[in-house]
Amino acid sequence: MRVALIADDLTGLAAVASEFERYGLSVGIALNVASAGALADRYDIVGIDTNSRALSPDTAANVAREAAEALAEFNPDWMFKQGDSALHGHIAAELSAIAVALKAKNVLMAPACPSLGRFTVDGVHRPVEDDPDTHIRVVDLWSGYNTVAVADDTGPAPTSPGRPLISVVDVMNDAALDAAVRRADSIDERLVAGSVGLAKSIARHLWATATQDGKPALILLGSFQARSRQQAETLLATGTARLIELPTSGEDGDVRDATRAAGQALCDGYHVVLAASPSLANSTDPTRYPLLDGAVRDRIENALRQTTRAIFDEHRNHMCGLIVAGGTTAGIVARDVLKLAALHQVAHLSDGVAAGLAEDIEGRFLPLVTKAGNWGETEVFLLAIRWLQQTHSAQEAETRSDLND
């Protein structure tokens, strides 16, 4: 079992659990402790709904503890206590009981959910950013509890000999959550509490560890749309990718340098995001379509042709496939660089994002994902890379089988 989930209501549990399914992990939900055992050997992610939000704090703590003890029997990599992103319910009582029962030393508490605009700043959780009446100092939830120690980023951690230390982290964006998860993993601090935001981050972390053994991908980011750039930042925040600026100077030496840097990153196992500098677009309003003057557009298109062709000539065998973002970019790469003849087995990955097995005029195949500039969910590059690696692995297995026949 990769992750064990404990939630105080069914909708919250389903919302958190489904975040892991998006990254290819199997998910099972039990509505009582007795049913969880039958799911443990079948699913990567197993959750128990304790249905405890309307119970008294003491009763809620007891049922949460029983769920945690039952799930701990299956040695999950992570134990995740789901809590409402507005901090409704009995998160202090339940998490304290779980931490004590499991003899945890350190516990990560991250209630923030950036995708909903719910942040934690200086230890104060803000379910509605501009409504101070909703703001809650998280450590105050533990007033009256002496079985655990609780600290936030505003001061040093209290001494807590023999007691679990629950650390409340400040979060204003997904990158901060990702960093907190990586830090927790590095020190074996895998009892965590949070909401959908933390589930997304742990799912991304599991994605990073699961895909590190596969060949990396090349991402050509021709789009200047704000959403495309945010999607690239989400990938880069996982620590699995390197950003290389598209050389638009027209100098051969710059193309060679970019090709060398991309090749080195691919050989080292990093995905490569090749992107033109955003300063080349003349729109500073993220709500408007970025505009390029004719000379700048020509420089970018020529750089795409030269650099992409050089990377493929030298490093095609080091990548699992290609992602292209932007209609013009896709056209240049498909027709001018790769000389494609057809796309086979076309599949839908997300709105505006498609995948297929590209065949060039020489009969060679390459897993390919295309993304319209302003389309796709925040994590779409991560989902696309998983598809590329799976398709590439299936191709290699088919080739080996053909050779053995």
Side-chain angles (χ1 to χ4, degrees):
M1 189 188 302
R2 305 300 304 278
V3 182
L5 304 172
I6 304 163
D8 63 1
D9 77 345
L10 183 58
T11 56
L13 176 56
V16 165
S18 63
E19 291 296 334
F20 295 93
E21 189 279 334
R22 296 169 63 237
Y23 291 88
L25 297 167
S26 59
V27 178
I29 289 176
L31 273 67
N32 53 65
V33 170
S35 300
L39 305 179
D41 292 334
R42 298 174 55 191
Y43 298 105
D44 301 312
I45 315 297
V46 175
I48 297 178
D49 170 27
T50 60
N51 194 30
S52 56
R53 189 170 297 185
L55 301 179
S56 69
D58 287 346
T59 305
N62 285 333
V63 296
R65 173 183 52 77
E66 291 171 0
E69 289 174 337
L71 290 168
E73 292 292 324
F74 303 103
N75 299 311
D77 296 333
W78 295 80
M79 182 74 73
F80 188 123
K81 175 62 186 85
Q82 179 269 347
D84 181 78
S85 62
L87 294 177
H88 298 146
H90 307 298
I91 185 63
E94 295 181 351
L95 184 57
S96 298
I98 293 170
V100 171
L102 299 184
K103 297 180 172 60
K105 293 182 179 179
N106 297 285
V107 182
L108 170 67
M109 174 66 179
C113 188
S115 63
L116 288 179
R118 295 181 173 180
F119 309 114
T120 306
V121 180
D122 293 333
V124 176
H125 187 55
R126 303 175 178 181
V128 181
E129 178 70 15
D130 58 0
D131 184 358
D133 290 338
T134 68
H135 297 181
I136 305 164
R137 187 165 186 261
V138 181
V139 297
D140 290 346
L141 297 174
W142 273 266
S143 297
Y145 290 90
N146 58 15
T147 58
V148 299
V150 186
D152 58 30
D153 289 345
T154 63
T159 56
S160 58
R163 293 186 297 165
L165 174 62
I166 298 173
S167 299
V168 180
V169 296
D170 284 354
V171 169
M172 281 294 293
N173 51 47
D174 286 334
L177 269 176
D178 290 348
V181 168
R182 288 196 298 270
R183 183 169 60 252
D185 192 22
S186 69
I187 61 173
D188 293 333
E189 184 182 290
R190 299 192 187 95
L191 171 57
V192 300
S195 63
V196 167
L198 184 59
K200 288 175 180 285
S201 186
I202 293 177
R204 287 192 292 268
H205 183 69
L206 294 178
W207 169 89
T209 57
T211 58
Q212 66 184 0
D213 292 333
K215 285 187 176 181
L218 175 64
I219 299 96
L220 301 180
L221 188 58
S223 172
F224 285 85
Q225 292 282 9
R227 179 176 294 188
S228 289
R229 299 288 164 150
Q230 181 187 20
Q231 291 160 342
E233 288 299 327
T234 298
L235 171 60
L236 292 166
T238 67
T240 64
R242 295 290 180 263
L243 176 64
I244 295 174
E245 186 171 313
L246 186 70
T248 56
S249 66
E251 299 293 332
D252 290 343
D254 291 341
V255 173
R256 285 194 298 270
D257 288 345
T259 301
R260 187 181 303 112
Q264 186 62 59
L266 290 169
C267 290
D268 289 342
Y270 291 101
H271 311 296
V272 169
V273 179
L274 184 66
S277 169
S279 64
L280 295 173
N282 59 13
S283 174
T284 58
D285 182 351
T287 65
R288 299 184 61 187
Y289 195 91
L291 300 176
L292 303 171
D293 65 41
V296 170
R297 183 181 298 275
D298 288 345
R299 284 165 49 199
I300 293 173
E301 292 180 3
N302 287 334
L304 270 172
R305 289 185 182 91
Q306 293 176 328
T307 311
T308 307
R309 186 177 293 117
I311 292 173
F312 267 88
D313 285 347
E314 298 180 28
H315 304 290
R316 183 184 183 113
N317 292 334
H318 294 140
M319 66 181 79
C320 65
L322 175 68
I323 301 170
V324 288
T328 301
T329 302
I332 290 172
V333 173
R335 298 176 184 278
D336 298 348
V337 178
L338 298 180
K339 309 292 185 183
L340 297 186
L343 279 175
H344 303 274
Q345 303 168 17
V346 176
H348 174 276
L349 296 187
S350 181
D351 287 351
V353 185
L357 197 57
E359 181 184 9
D360 67 19
I361 58 176
E362 297 179 9
R364 295 180 298 178
F365 292 91
L366 176 76
L368 173 69
V369 172
T370 63
K371 189 191 85 69
N374 208 30
W375 290 80
E377 55 199 294
T378 302
E379 299 89 355
V380 73
F381 287 151
L382 281 68
L383 306 181
I385 288 170
R386 180 167 62 88
W387 184 92
L388 290 174
Q389 289 187 337
Q390 291 174 341
T391 304
H392 179 266
S393 295
Q395 268 191 294
E396 288 193 325
E398 183 177 341
T399 300
R400 287 193 297 270
S401 177
D402 291 341
L403 291 174
N404 292 332
D405 288 344

